[in-house]
Amino acid sequence: MIPAEPLELLLVEDNPEDLELTLRALRKAKIANQIQVARDGAEALDFVFCEGAYAGRRPDFPKVILLDLKLPKVDGLEVLQRLKGDPRTRTIPVVMLTSSKEQSDLVKSYELGVNSYIVKPVNFEQFAAAVQELGFYWLLLNQISAPSPLP
Amino acid sequence: MVAVVSVAAALWLRLKMDPWLAGQPNFIMFTLPIMLSAYAGGLWPGLLATALSGLAVGCYVPALAGQTFATWWQEGFLMLAGVIISGLSESLHRTRRRAGEGQELFARSFRLSPDCVTLTRLRDRMILEANDGLCALWQARREEVVGQPAGRFIVWADEAERSRFLQRLHAQGECLNHEAKLRIRDGRELDFNLSSRLITFGNETCALSVMRDITGHKRAEIATARLAAIVDSSSDAIVGKDLAGIVTSWNSGAEQLFGYRADEMVGQSILRLIPDERQAEETQIMDSIRHNRTVRPFETVRRCKDGSTVEVSVTVSPIRDAAGRVVGASKVARDITERRRAEQQIRQLNAELEQRVRLRTEELEAANRELEAFSYSISHDLRAPLRAVDGFSQAVMEDFGPQLPADGRRQLDVIQESARRMGCLIDDLLAFSRLSRQPLEKQPVDMARLVRSVLEDFAGECATRQVEVSLGELPPCAGDHRLLRQVMVNLISNALKYSRKRTQPTLAIGCQTATHPPVYYVRDNGSGFDMRYADKLFGVFQRLHRAEDYEGTGVGLAIVQRIVNRHGGRIWAESAPDAGATFYFTLQRSDAS
């Protein structure tokens, strides 16, 4: 699928229920139309850097990336490290969206340069509100320097 | 002098008496001055008087009397008699002189002897003579002693022994070096060496007795015997040696340790015991000894008779004579093989223990890591399905709500509520388990300020419900500020929760400072609880109230107890149903326990 409109949001989530609920919340808030989903860390990295299955896609970067922490293959912290360690993707805002309240995860994420860290509440209403707010903030309010396109 | 004068006097007398003695032998008159002179002066004055008398008789008298023949034989007789008289007198003189010297010698030694010497009349035990030594021992003057019965000053400790002594004295005439206990006048019982001999003195049978106080000697003997017994019974080797390193004494401990008998070692060099490579040690030791220094205990190796070596701890001290000169050394050696073995064993046990501790620590660390992974997984994985339960119930409600009957909608509400409640339980449980893993950061804590800051968080609720808050004295303490704040938050929120049904809720926070350590408390006038269930109060997920009366997960007080315990303190509560509750806690170990 090659979206005609510019890509707005990359959602990296392995849990199908969380994925469905997150998409539902985003759709309800009518924030993002162009949402790309990756089901694990490897797929997320392939997509961003146009490698593997995504080698032929139109090279553009999402405006924001919502990243789960615990992911199959390559976990969220490693994905974060790769994104923030690469000059091309360093400026893309990354929001950790996770169940973990562990202090160590939080500290590590900020050390790696995460832009926001959101703990998913059990309460769906609160969860939906959180997703809407962060989409609203990162996609509409926040002014970012446009990442340089891939060569 | 006597000779000249007496001869002159005799001559004069003879001349004066001549008219009456004419014709009588002339020499008779001169025997008198010869005898007088010899008696007074001995041999030489006697001979001088004889010679003078001879001259007088031979020269003047015949001239006077005109006699001739008769004079010659008279002359010869006088000379002979004079020589004999002089000789006899001389021998008498000598005898007398010798007797006088002997007497003086006796008297001197009698008086001066340090021993006690008495002369006692046997008949009535009357003391006829006593010397200074005796007077000193009896603490009496000589005049007080002489003439008194001996029994007033000295009594035999054993009367039977006295009888035996006297029997022997009578039978043999003497009894020498008899040891006996005698009680003297001041009550002391002393050991004496006693010698007596019967003598006749002034026609009376007397006993001349010499007594020597040997009490000190006896004591020293006993002490020496005891010391010798100690040395001999010691399991340590105790060896004496002179400055040349020749063994002078060798106890049975040394026999056992080194295998040599005393007769094999005494007179031999100590170097026999020292392994070749350690011979220099002895030189150093003797050097210290010569400088009057004790060689501190040191550990070394010695060679035994059978050629084996033994590990010993050795102390060497100088032996000094009465003048303080170092004349040798005493060496105490102790077998430390056993101790070495024990030390080795202890080292080995310690090593094993350390190894076990290391293993246990590793196991604990592994368990901790597992626990961490476990709580991580609870935190992450357990909440995801709950979110799905809650989220999809919400989705059903939103998408199909209008088509559902009222009962169906209520049941969906229950599902959602349960999921959220489980979320809370998981969060609290995680917080509780995190408490054990976090290190305690102790610092001075201003409890009054801490409590005021917590109360500010509850200010809204307190104002709305018109809670009457009273703050008592709250002394500072040492503790983890963040955790103590958690304690106060939990206790105060509990107090407010359980006094919710009161129209006049009160909350009192303070501290009893009369006790040590101080006891902080939080008191409410709420619904309280039955003390029968007090033991369940602080258990995880334990609740004393129904969920529909008071919400909660039952973790709050468990967290409070965990924090208080980690500070070394104790928490307890007093309450009765419907009569409010007071929670007390301390933050240090009580001194008594």
Side-chain angles (χ1 to χ4, degrees), chain B residues 103-132:
Chain B
Q103 208 164 13
E104 183 161 343
L105 200 65
F106 172 77
R108 269 201 196 152
S109 44
F110 185 92
R111 284 274 153 75
L112 289 178
S113 169
D115 294 338
C116 309
V117 188
T118 55
L119 187 63
T120 315
R121 194 157 63 198
L122 271 192
R123 178 161 55 82
D124 51 5
R125 292 193 71 200
M126 176 80 77
I127 294 169
L128 301 181
E129 190 55 271
N131 76 336
D132 294 349

mmCIF file of all heavy atoms in Angstrom, chain B residues 103-132:
data_model
loop_
_atom_site.group_PDB
_atom_site.id
_atom_site.type_symbol
_atom_site.label_atom_id
_atom_site.label_comp_id
_atom_site.label_asym_id
_atom_site.label_seq_id
_atom_site.Cartn_x
_atom_site.Cartn_y
_atom_site.Cartn_z
ATOM 1 N N GLN B 103 87.106 -19.526 127.491
ATOM 2 C CA GLN B 103 85.852 -19.052 128.080
ATOM 3 C C GLN B 103 85.317 -17.848 127.305
ATOM 4 O O GLN B 103 84.132 -17.746 127.016
ATOM 5 C CB GLN B 103 86.090 -18.661 129.532
ATOM 6 C CG GLN B 103 84.853 -18.803 130.369
ATOM 7 C CD GLN B 103 85.205 -18.804 131.853
ATOM 8 O OE1 GLN B 103 86.334 -18.466 132.231
ATOM 9 N NE2 GLN B 103 84.273 -19.185 132.683
ATOM 10 N N GLU B 104 86.223 -16.952 126.963
ATOM 11 C CA GLU B 104 85.799 -15.760 126.245
ATOM 12 C C GLU B 104 85.268 -16.116 124.869
ATOM 13 O O GLU B 104 84.240 -15.602 124.422
ATOM 14 C CB GLU B 104 86.966 -14.792 126.118
ATOM 15 C CG GLU B 104 86.499 -13.526 125.429
ATOM 16 C CD GLU B 104 87.442 -12.383 125.673
ATOM 17 O OE1 GLU B 104 88.252 -12.470 126.595
ATOM 18 O OE2 GLU B 104 87.322 -11.407 124.917
ATOM 19 N N LEU B 105 85.976 -17.033 124.216
ATOM 20 C CA LEU B 105 85.543 -17.485 122.893
ATOM 21 C C LEU B 105 84.136 -18.061 122.987
ATOM 22 O O LEU B 105 83.233 -17.741 122.191
ATOM 23 C CB LEU B 105 86.512 -18.552 122.395
ATOM 24 C CG LEU B 105 86.501 -18.795 120.894
ATOM 25 C CD1 LEU B 105 86.978 -17.551 120.160
ATOM 26 C CD2 LEU B 105 87.365 -20.002 120.557
ATOM 27 N N PHE B 106 83.948 -18.875 124.013
ATOM 28 C CA PHE B 106 82.642 -19.491 124.212
ATOM 29 C C PHE B 106 81.576 -18.421 124.443
ATOM 30 O O PHE B 106 80.523 -18.418 123.826
ATOM 31 C CB PHE B 106 82.699 -20.454 125.402
ATOM 32 C CG PHE B 106 81.345 -20.965 125.785
ATOM 33 C CD1 PHE B 106 80.747 -21.967 125.021
ATOM 34 C CD2 PHE B 106 80.650 -20.436 126.869
ATOM 35 C CE1 PHE B 106 79.497 -22.429 125.357
ATOM 36 C CE2 PHE B 106 79.386 -20.894 127.189
ATOM 37 C CZ PHE B 106 78.816 -21.902 126.439
ATOM 38 N N ALA B 107 81.926 -17.497 125.343
ATOM 39 C CA ALA B 107 80.950 -16.463 125.678
ATOM 40 C C ALA B 107 80.584 -15.648 124.446
ATOM 41 O O ALA B 107 79.424 -15.352 124.196
ATOM 42 C CB ALA B 107 81.529 -15.553 126.770
ATOM 43 N N ARG B 108 81.627 -15.332 123.649
ATOM 44 C CA ARG B 108 81.345 -14.529 122.452
ATOM 45 C C ARG B 108 80.447 -15.258 121.478
ATOM 46 O O ARG B 108 79.458 -14.724 120.996
ATOM 47 C CB ARG B 108 82.669 -14.190 121.758
ATOM 48 C CG ARG B 108 83.201 -12.892 122.286
ATOM 49 C CD ARG B 108 84.169 -12.274 121.352
ATOM 50 N NE ARG B 108 84.892 -11.275 122.109
ATOM 51 C CZ ARG B 108 86.118 -10.879 121.850
ATOM 52 N NH1 ARG B 108 86.755 -11.399 120.827
ATOM 53 N NH2 ARG B 108 86.684 -9.969 122.567
ATOM 54 N N SER B 109 80.824 -16.515 121.211
ATOM 55 C CA SER B 109 80.014 -17.222 120.221
ATOM 56 C C SER B 109 78.617 -17.476 120.760
ATOM 57 O O SER B 109 77.635 -17.449 120.032
ATOM 58 C CB SER B 109 80.691 -18.522 119.780
ATOM 59 O OG SER B 109 81.187 -19.193 120.904
ATOM 60 N N PHE B 110 78.513 -17.697 122.055
ATOM 61 C CA PHE B 110 77.212 -17.887 122.689
ATOM 62 C C PHE B 110 76.336 -16.651 122.462
ATOM 63 O O PHE B 110 75.202 -16.731 122.017
ATOM 64 C CB PHE B 110 77.437 -18.108 124.187
ATOM 65 C CG PHE B 110 76.190 -18.432 124.948
ATOM 66 C CD1 PHE B 110 75.808 -19.759 125.131
ATOM 67 C CD2 PHE B 110 75.392 -17.430 125.487
ATOM 68 C CE1 PHE B 110 74.670 -20.051 125.829
ATOM 69 C CE2 PHE B 110 74.248 -17.737 126.184
ATOM 70 C CZ PHE B 110 73.886 -19.060 126.361
ATOM 71 N N ARG B 111 76.955 -15.487 122.728
ATOM 72 C CA ARG B 111 76.198 -14.252 122.623
ATOM 73 C C ARG B 111 75.861 -13.894 121.177
ATOM 74 O O ARG B 111 74.762 -13.507 120.860
ATOM 75 C CB ARG B 111 77.021 -13.081 123.211
ATOM 76 C CG ARG B 111 77.062 -13.049 124.706
ATOM 77 C CD ARG B 111 75.854 -12.300 125.268
ATOM 78 N NE ARG B 111 75.555 -12.785 126.602
ATOM 79 C CZ ARG B 111 76.268 -12.474 127.673
ATOM 80 N NH1 ARG B 111 77.299 -11.672 127.571
ATOM 81 N NH2 ARG B 111 75.954 -12.975 128.836
ATOM 82 N N LEU B 112 76.874 -14.017 120.328
ATOM 83 C CA LEU B 112 76.730 -13.465 118.988
ATOM 84 C C LEU B 112 75.979 -14.375 118.027
ATOM 85 O O LEU B 112 75.555 -13.932 116.970
ATOM 86 C CB LEU B 112 78.109 -13.147 118.406
ATOM 87 C CG LEU B 112 78.795 -11.956 119.048
ATOM 88 C CD1 LEU B 112 80.162 -11.747 118.439
ATOM 89 C CD2 LEU B 112 77.951 -10.698 118.870
ATOM 90 N N SER B 113 75.849 -15.647 118.375
ATOM 91 C CA SER B 113 75.232 -16.571 117.428
ATOM 92 C C SER B 113 73.853 -16.059 116.993
ATOM 93 O O SER B 113 73.046 -15.650 117.823
ATOM 94 C CB SER B 113 75.082 -17.940 118.082
ATOM 95 O OG SER B 113 74.264 -18.737 117.248
ATOM 96 N N PRO B 114 73.572 -16.074 115.669
ATOM 97 C CA PRO B 114 72.232 -15.666 115.213
ATOM 98 C C PRO B 114 71.189 -16.698 115.602
ATOM 99 O O PRO B 114 70.000 -16.418 115.619
ATOM 100 C CB PRO B 114 72.390 -15.587 113.696
ATOM 101 C CG PRO B 114 73.538 -16.484 113.378
ATOM 102 C CD PRO B 114 74.450 -16.483 114.572
ATOM 103 N N ASP B 115 71.639 -17.894 115.916
ATOM 104 C CA ASP B 115 70.698 -18.906 116.380
ATOM 105 C C ASP B 115 70.320 -18.597 117.824
ATOM 106 O O ASP B 115 70.942 -17.782 118.483
ATOM 107 C CB ASP B 115 71.356 -20.289 116.324
ATOM 108 C CG ASP B 115 71.631 -20.695 114.886
ATOM 109 O OD1 ASP B 115 70.963 -20.150 113.990
ATOM 110 O OD2 ASP B 115 72.526 -21.530 114.677
ATOM 111 N N CYS B 116 69.291 -19.287 118.313
ATOM 112 C CA CYS B 116 68.874 -19.084 119.698
ATOM 113 C C CYS B 116 69.595 -20.134 120.543
ATOM 114 O O CYS B 116 69.482 -21.328 120.287
ATOM 115 C CB CYS B 116 67.373 -19.300 119.848
ATOM 116 S SG CYS B 116 66.439 -18.351 118.659
ATOM 117 N N VAL B 117 70.333 -19.648 121.522
ATOM 118 C CA VAL B 117 71.064 -20.592 122.367
ATOM 119 C C VAL B 117 70.603 -20.384 123.817
ATOM 120 O O VAL B 117 70.529 -19.256 124.301
ATOM 121 C CB VAL B 117 72.577 -20.355 122.266
ATOM 122 C CG1 VAL B 117 73.337 -21.463 122.991
ATOM 123 C CG2 VAL B 117 73.007 -20.285 120.818
ATOM 124 N N THR B 118 70.268 -21.491 124.496
ATOM 125 C CA THR B 118 69.862 -21.391 125.904
ATOM 126 C C THR B 118 70.562 -22.472 126.710
ATOM 127 O O THR B 118 70.933 -23.526 126.196
ATOM 128 C CB THR B 118 68.351 -21.621 126.104
ATOM 129 O OG1 THR B 118 68.018 -22.880 125.529
ATOM 130 C CG2 THR B 118 67.522 -20.532 125.518
ATOM 131 N N LEU B 119 70.684 -22.146 127.934
ATOM 132 C CA LEU B 119 71.148 -23.143 128.897
ATOM 133 C C LEU B 119 70.014 -23.288 129.899
ATOM 134 O O LEU B 119 69.621 -22.319 130.554
ATOM 135 C CB LEU B 119 72.425 -22.638 129.591
ATOM 136 C CG LEU B 119 73.114 -23.629 130.501
ATOM 137 C CD1 LEU B 119 73.602 -24.844 129.713
ATOM 138 C CD2 LEU B 119 74.284 -22.975 131.216
ATOM 139 N N THR B 120 69.485 -24.478 129.953
ATOM 140 C CA THR B 120 68.299 -24.689 130.781
ATOM 141 C C THR B 120 68.575 -25.780 131.811
ATOM 142 O O THR B 120 69.121 -26.832 131.467
ATOM 143 C CB THR B 120 67.111 -25.143 129.907
ATOM 144 O OG1 THR B 120 67.073 -24.314 128.761
ATOM 145 C CG2 THR B 120 65.808 -25.044 130.639
ATOM 146 N N ARG B 121 68.171 -25.484 133.043
ATOM 147 C CA ARG B 121 68.325 -26.506 134.073
ATOM 148 C C ARG B 121 67.215 -27.511 133.884
ATOM 149 O O ARG B 121 66.039 -27.131 133.807
ATOM 150 C CB ARG B 121 68.209 -25.826 135.449
ATOM 151 C CG ARG B 121 68.685 -26.690 136.574
ATOM 152 C CD ARG B 121 69.063 -25.836 137.743
ATOM 153 N NE ARG B 121 67.887 -25.128 138.236
ATOM 154 C CZ ARG B 121 67.944 -24.034 139.027
ATOM 155 N NH1 ARG B 121 69.116 -23.541 139.382
ATOM 156 N NH2 ARG B 121 66.852 -23.461 139.437
ATOM 157 N N LEU B 122 67.598 -28.796 133.809
ATOM 158 C CA LEU B 122 66.606 -29.816 133.470
ATOM 159 C C LEU B 122 65.572 -29.982 134.568
ATOM 160 O O LEU B 122 64.399 -30.212 134.304
ATOM 161 C CB LEU B 122 67.282 -31.160 133.218
ATOM 162 C CG LEU B 122 67.735 -31.437 131.775
ATOM 163 C CD1 LEU B 122 68.108 -32.901 131.632
ATOM 164 C CD2 LEU B 122 66.650 -31.071 130.762
ATOM 165 N N ARG B 123 66.032 -29.868 135.789
ATOM 166 C CA ARG B 123 65.177 -30.137 136.944
ATOM 167 C C ARG B 123 63.878 -29.327 136.887
ATOM 168 O O ARG B 123 62.786 -29.871 137.043
ATOM 169 C CB ARG B 123 65.990 -29.754 138.209
ATOM 170 C CG ARG B 123 65.294 -29.897 139.528
ATOM 171 C CD ARG B 123 66.349 -29.937 140.625
ATOM 172 N NE ARG B 123 67.249 -28.773 140.605
ATOM 173 C CZ ARG B 123 66.916 -27.585 141.159
ATOM 174 N NH1 ARG B 123 65.774 -27.426 141.740
ATOM 175 N NH2 ARG B 123 67.780 -26.584 141.125
ATOM 176 N N ASP B 124 64.010 -28.016 136.651
ATOM 177 C CA ASP B 124 62.792 -27.178 136.664
ATOM 178 C C ASP B 124 62.641 -26.340 135.396
ATOM 179 O O ASP B 124 61.851 -25.400 135.354
ATOM 180 C CB ASP B 124 62.832 -26.249 137.877
ATOM 181 C CG ASP B 124 64.143 -25.503 137.940
ATOM 182 O OD1 ASP B 124 64.950 -25.658 136.977
ATOM 183 O OD2 ASP B 124 64.365 -24.770 138.903
ATOM 184 N N ARG B 125 63.410 -26.691 134.354
ATOM 185 C CA ARG B 125 63.377 -25.992 133.058
ATOM 186 C C ARG B 125 63.699 -24.509 133.216
ATOM 187 O O ARG B 125 63.270 -23.674 132.413
ATOM 188 C CB ARG B 125 62.019 -26.154 132.364
ATOM 189 C CG ARG B 125 61.742 -27.576 131.916
ATOM 190 C CD ARG B 125 60.564 -27.648 130.979
ATOM 191 N NE ARG B 125 60.840 -27.081 129.661
ATOM 192 C CZ ARG B 125 59.899 -26.681 128.808
ATOM 193 N NH1 ARG B 125 58.643 -26.794 129.156
ATOM 194 N NH2 ARG B 125 60.228 -26.179 127.645
ATOM 195 N N MET B 126 64.425 -24.175 134.268
ATOM 196 C CA MET B 126 64.796 -22.782 134.495
ATOM 197 C C MET B 126 65.861 -22.364 133.504
ATOM 198 O O MET B 126 66.834 -23.089 133.288
ATOM 199 C CB MET B 126 65.330 -22.644 135.933
ATOM 200 C CG MET B 126 65.846 -21.261 136.256
ATOM 201 S SD MET B 126 64.470 -20.179 136.624
ATOM 202 C CE MET B 126 64.111 -20.723 138.286
ATOM 203 N N ILE B 127 65.691 -21.196 132.895
ATOM 204 C CA ILE B 127 66.674 -20.715 131.928
ATOM 205 C C ILE B 127 67.821 -20.072 132.707
ATOM 206 O O ILE B 127 67.603 -19.121 133.472
ATOM 207 C CB ILE B 127 66.041 -19.681 130.981
ATOM 208 C CG1 ILE B 127 64.964 -20.371 130.126
ATOM 209 C CG2 ILE B 127 67.099 -19.070 130.062
ATOM 210 C CD1 ILE B 127 64.108 -19.414 129.348
ATOM 211 N N LEU B 128 69.012 -20.607 132.513
ATOM 212 C CA LEU B 128 70.164 -20.066 133.217
ATOM 213 C C LEU B 128 70.883 -19.047 132.352
ATOM 214 O O LEU B 128 71.515 -18.126 132.856
ATOM 215 C CB LEU B 128 71.120 -21.197 133.597
ATOM 216 C CG LEU B 128 70.517 -22.285 134.485
ATOM 217 C CD1 LEU B 128 71.567 -23.341 134.808
ATOM 218 C CD2 LEU B 128 69.976 -21.689 135.784
ATOM 219 N N GLU B 129 70.819 -19.231 131.090
ATOM 220 C CA GLU B 129 71.503 -18.301 130.198
ATOM 221 C C GLU B 129 70.763 -18.291 128.852
ATOM 222 O O GLU B 129 70.196 -19.302 128.436
ATOM 223 C CB GLU B 129 72.960 -18.761 129.998
ATOM 224 C CG GLU B 129 73.853 -17.760 129.297
ATOM 225 C CD GLU B 129 73.877 -16.393 129.965
ATOM 226 O OE1 GLU B 129 73.019 -15.561 129.596
ATOM 227 O OE2 GLU B 129 74.729 -16.144 130.846
ATOM 228 N N ALA B 130 70.749 -17.109 128.223
ATOM 229 C CA ALA B 130 70.095 -17.002 126.910
ATOM 230 C C ALA B 130 70.878 -15.989 126.096
ATOM 231 O O ALA B 130 71.398 -15.013 126.641
ATOM 232 C CB ALA B 130 68.652 -16.531 127.067
ATOM 233 N N ASN B 131 70.938 -16.187 124.791
ATOM 234 C CA ASN B 131 71.727 -15.256 123.976
ATOM 235 C C ASN B 131 70.824 -14.221 123.289
ATOM 236 O O ASN B 131 69.588 -14.271 123.394
ATOM 237 C CB ASN B 131 72.588 -16.014 122.966
ATOM 238 C CG ASN B 131 71.751 -16.526 121.806
ATOM 239 O OD1 ASN B 131 70.554 -16.711 121.950
ATOM 240 N ND2 ASN B 131 72.395 -16.756 120.678
ATOM 241 N N ASP B 132 71.483 -13.297 122.541
ATOM 242 C CA ASP B 132 70.737 -12.206 121.889
ATOM 243 C C ASP B 132 69.750 -12.723 120.846
ATOM 244 O O ASP B 132 68.656 -12.189 120.677
ATOM 245 C CB ASP B 132 71.717 -11.240 121.216
ATOM 246 C CG ASP B 132 72.571 -10.526 122.236
ATOM 247 O OD1 ASP B 132 72.236 -10.632 123.443
ATOM 248 O OD2 ASP B 132 73.559 -9.889 121.841
#
